[in-house]
Amino acid sequence: MLVVSESLASSVAASLLDVPEDVSAYIPHRAFTSIALIPIALSISRALLPLPSGEAAVVTVLQTHVTQPPGDILVFLSGEREIRDAADSVRGMKLPDTSVLPLYARLSAAEQHRVFESHTGRRIVLSTNVAETSLTVPGIRYVIDPGLARISRYSTRLKVQRLPIEKVSRASANQRSGRCGRVADGIAIRLYSDEDFDSRPDFTEPEILRTNLASVILSMTALGLGEIEGFPFVDPPDTRQIRDGVELLRELGALKPGRTPELTMIGQRLARLPIDPRLGRMILEAEKYDVVGDVLVIAAGLSIQDPRERPGEAQAQADQMHARFNDPSSDFLAYLGLWGYLKEQQRELSGNAFRRMCRAEFLHYLRIREWQDLHSQLRQTCKELDIPINPKSHDPNGFTSALIAGLLSHIGAYDQSRREYAGARGARWSIHRSSNLAKRPPAFVVAGELVETSRLFGRVVAKVDPLDVERVAGDLVTRTYSHPRWSRKRGSVVADERVTLYGVTLVVGRRVQYGRIDPVVSRDLFIRHALVDGELHTPHAFMTANRALIAELDEVEDRVRKRG
């Protein structure tokens, strides 16, 4: 017997259960309530349609509060900024006997738990789609649904995850409507028309169609499942996604060249690490520099939600507490500072005292536990792979090189004229305001994550030396040469070298020996300048004889008053 979600696509259910697609059965989660669906509520004018979703939701909250019987209101909004703006607007109305509660994933645990506390009067909950499926807010009688949400999508052009605001599917809209019918009859107000609802897709696209497939491809190749394109996925991913996943694994050194995926030694070890391939590659590179202990902390920390909390009413205090761990050159080092502080406090405090300390210093206790558990798991895997861990080794240069190895396509060169970074493959991005480096952007940085919201941002960044990037990237860099010429000072043919990585310029105008690069052109320049023009200064006998012969010929030409 297989129990599945009601919102599971019928095609998926059919493939799993081996039944025709037009036959469906499910256990209803509501057995005693009814829901009135109002695409544009009768009490709400169609003039709301041209308004931005947040403003329309605020107006609807006001009209619902005035015209409808008592009951809590749940409003779905697309992101934190919209929630904060809407909360300010609703609070500014000073509605009697009414409280306003934001709800989104980055809120502190205490603030999220407020929606479950008993209360009097009407409560207005402003939430992202976290309240759609992740949790059920009790006591909701009215749902206001603008029909929008941030959907994570992978950009095949920029090779980054995007969070665009999109229309939700009909299944998501129905799921949202169901939030108001849990304890009594409810009303769901959709701020879009029936025609708009009918034009939407039945279901949200599966995540495998919206994410980078590097981790999937790595696991499948390690299991020997053959070519990715031929695997019978329920929802086959786009070939461009597969190609991008393969390219990322080759960037990390995990796949050998060729059409059939085959793991290198790095790839075989990478597949055993229970972590994103980029972060796993950092750990393997750290072994070269004996900094595995530090990189394990960073890799585990980047795999979870940030344990540092910034509650809305105490952001300044939280920032002040967290500033103790900041480093002027690297956000990654802040994780190491916080990790060391937490270990020290755990040794000195009891369990309950440590929890209280976390709460007082705006640290999320459960995320810290998750961070420590994942770190322990990675340590155990490293032991199985015979990767030595030296907790006393702290090499800043080696640490940075290990980070670069996993984030080669997250390098950025600062463009002073545009006040943003030129990134890989033509991407343009800025350091997120949460970074300690945002106010004074360095010339070159590496970002732990690139995410597109209102624009493309780099989060958790560190200053890097482009020469370190060149060294770690190895054969992935592109070298071009210009202005080959004879150099009297060096006594050889030289040229100017330009080094780029995925379009990011690392080195410009470096003078290099040109003989090994283009022997034919170098030989020609050597003959014309070094031998004929005598610009080679050497004590060898052949050169002395050559200069004597040239002088003799010049004397003959002077006597006959004829050149050549």
Side-chain angles (χ1 to χ4, degrees):
M1 181 178 182
L2 181 64
V3 179
V4 297
S5 167
E6 176 189 356
S7 59
L8 188 67
S10 60
S11 59
V12 178
S15 66
L16 293 175
L17 303 176
D18 194 24
V19 296
E21 288 191 21
D22 58 348
V23 177
S24 63
Y26 63 90
I27 301 174
H29 61 274
R30 295 184 302 274
F32 56 88
T33 60
S34 62
I35 301 169
L37 293 177
I38 308 177
I40 293 293
L42 299 179
S43 61
I44 299 173
S45 168
R46 284 183 176 270
L48 289 178
L49 284 175
L51 289 177
S53 61
E55 295 180 21
V58 169
V59 175
T60 309
V61 166
L62 176 60
Q63 297 197 4
T64 304
H65 177 76
V66 172
T67 61
Q68 298 298 324
D72 293 350
I73 302 173
L74 173 61
V75 184
F76 285 97
L77 294 168
S78 56
E80 293 181 29
R81 179 180 298 177
E82 292 83 358
I83 289 176
R84 286 195 297 267
D85 292 344
D88 292 341
S89 298
V90 175
R91 289 184 181 124
M93 297 176 186
K94 300 186 185 305
L95 301 176
D97 202 21
T98 301
S99 60
V100 179
L101 296 181
L103 180 62
Y104 48 88
R106 276 178 18 98
L107 277 177
S108 66
E111 288 182 303
Q112 290 187 25
H113 290 160
R114 289 175 60 191
V115 300
F116 301 108
E117 296 173 356
S118 59
H119 65 287
T120 58
R122 171 170 273 162
R123 174 179 285 171
I124 300 172
V125 180
L126 308 175
S127 176
T128 59
N129 55 358
V130 68
E132 183 180 312
T133 55
S134 300
L135 55 84
T136 299
V137 181
I140 298 299
R141 292 289 303 279
Y142 306 97
V143 164
I144 298 174
D145 177 19
L148 301 173
R150 286 197 182 274
I151 307 295
S152 178
R153 289 193 181 279
Y154 176 73
S155 170
T156 55
R157 183 179 69 86
L158 297 176
K159 321 300 182 191
V160 300
Q161 284 296 132
R162 300 173 58 240
L163 287 171
I165 298 175
E166 299 180 359
K167 294 181 178 180
V168 300
S169 64
R170 292 206 294 268
S172 290
N174 290 333
Q175 190 78 11
R176 291 180 172 191
S177 302
R179 302 294 97 181
C180 68
R182 296 288 174 165
V183 295
D185 294 349
I187 293 178
I189 303 171
R190 291 175 179 160
L191 302 183
Y192 46 96
S193 63
D194 275 331
E195 293 78 10
D196 189 350
F197 177 80
D198 292 336
S199 68
R200 300 182 178 212
D202 291 335
F203 302 94
T204 305
E205 281 187 329
E207 188 172 0
I208 195 172
L209 304 181
R210 299 184 283 110
T211 190
N212 185 281
L213 298 178
S215 183
V216 174
I217 295 170
L218 180 66
S219 298
M220 293 179 62
T221 306
L223 293 171
L225 298 180
E227 294 190 9
I228 312 302
E229 293 86 347
F231 189 81
F233 289 104
V234 175
D235 293 289
D238 188 88
T239 54
R240 291 176 299 175
Q241 285 180 272
I242 296 175
R243 184 173 62 249
D244 287 348
V246 170
E247 287 179 359
L248 175 56
L249 292 177
R250 290 198 171 126
E251 172 189 314
L252 300 177
L255 287 182
K256 296 179 181 178
R259 284 187 53 85
T260 303
E262 186 178 351
L263 295 181
T264 61
M265 184 60 68
I266 289 176
Q268 293 173 16
R269 303 177 83 195
L270 202 58
R272 296 183 60 183
L273 290 169
I275 202 169
D276 181 271
R278 286 187 182 276
L279 303 179
R281 184 65 181 88
M282 295 180 193
I283 296 173
L284 298 183
E285 186 73 10
E287 184 180 4
K288 294 182 182 178
Y289 307 100
D290 195 25
V291 290
V292 176
D294 287 346
V295 175
L296 282 180
V297 173
I298 301 299
L302 294 177
S303 300
I304 65 166
Q305 193 170 339
D306 195 332
R308 294 165 292 187
E309 298 182 319
R310 296 182 74 241
E313 72 280 0
Q315 289 187 2
Q317 297 95 310
D319 290 342
Q320 185 177 5
M321 296 295 291
H322 300 158
R324 296 172 294 167
F325 314 113
N326 289 345
D327 184 276
S329 64
S330 174
D331 294 334
F332 296 93
L333 293 178
Y335 279 90
L336 289 180
L338 175 59
W339 179 266
Y341 175 74
L342 292 173
K343 299 296 284 185
E344 179 183 338
Q345 293 300 307
Q346 280 185 312
R347 285 193 298 267
E348 297 178 357
L349 301 176
S350 65
N352 288 334
F354 182 74
R355 281 176 177 264
R356 289 194 295 270
M357 183 276 296
C358 290
R359 190 180 308 113
E361 299 185 10
F362 305 100
L363 301 172
H364 197 294
Y365 175 77
L366 293 180
R367 292 175 197 161
I368 290 171
R369 286 290 304 273
E370 183 183 1
W371 187 8
Q372 294 173 337
D373 290 344
L374 180 55
H375 179 265
S376 298
Q377 186 179 357
L378 290 174
R379 281 182 63 92
Q380 181 59 39
T381 306
C382 286
K383 289 180 180 179
E384 295 172 1
L385 293 172
D386 294 324
I387 298 176
I389 301 173
N390 183 358
K392 296 182 180 180
S393 177
H394 305 286
D395 177 9
N397 293 329
F399 173 76
T400 303
S401 297
L403 297 181
I404 292 171
L407 302 169
L408 287 171
S409 54
H410 288 185
I411 299 295
Y414 192 62
D415 185 339
Q416 187 69 44
S417 62
R418 299 178 62 172
R419 296 184 178 276
E420 62 183 5
Y421 283 89
R425 305 177 183 92
R428 313 288 300 194
W429 54 274
S430 301
I431 298 178
H432 193 266
R433 63 180 180 274
S434 62
S435 170
N436 192 44
L437 284 69
K439 293 182 179 179
R440 295 183 179 180
F444 285 87
V445 295
V446 61
E449 179 184 35
L450 292 177
V451 177
E452 184 176 358
T453 52
S454 58
R455 59 178 302 178
L456 188 59
F457 287 106
R459 294 174 175 166
V460 190
V461 300
K463 178 182 177 181
V464 295
D465 186 334
L467 298 183
D468 288 338
V469 177
E470 178 189 10
R471 173 176 51 79
V472 174
D475 294 338
L476 293 175
V477 300
T478 301
R479 303 178 188 273
T480 56
Y481 303 92
S482 62
H483 193 208
R485 60 200 179 276
W486 172 259
S487 172
R488 286 188 180 185
K489 183 177 181 180
R490 295 196 177 192
S492 61
V493 177
V494 299
D496 295 331
E497 182 182 46
R498 181 186 181 92
V499 182
T500 61
L501 175 65
Y502 301 129
V504 178
T505 302
L506 303 177
V507 178
V508 179
R510 176 198 282 160
R511 186 173 296 181
V512 296
Q513 297 290 336
Y514 199 59
R516 59 184 176 79
I517 299 164
D518 192 335
V520 175
V521 171
S522 298
R523 179 176 181 274
D524 179 63
L525 290 172
F526 175 77
I527 292 173
R528 280 192 285 142
H529 294 279
L531 300 183
V532 176
D533 293 344
E535 295 181 358
L536 178 64
H537 301 289
T538 176
H540 290 89
F542 82 90
M543 199 62 195
T544 302
N546 191 49
R547 280 194 289 267
L549 178 60
I550 292 175
E552 182 181 338
L553 293 175
D554 286 341
E555 184 180 346
V556 172
E557 288 179 340
D558 288 340
R559 282 202 305 268
V560 300
R561 298 182 179 180
K562 184 178 180 181
R563 295 289 177 184

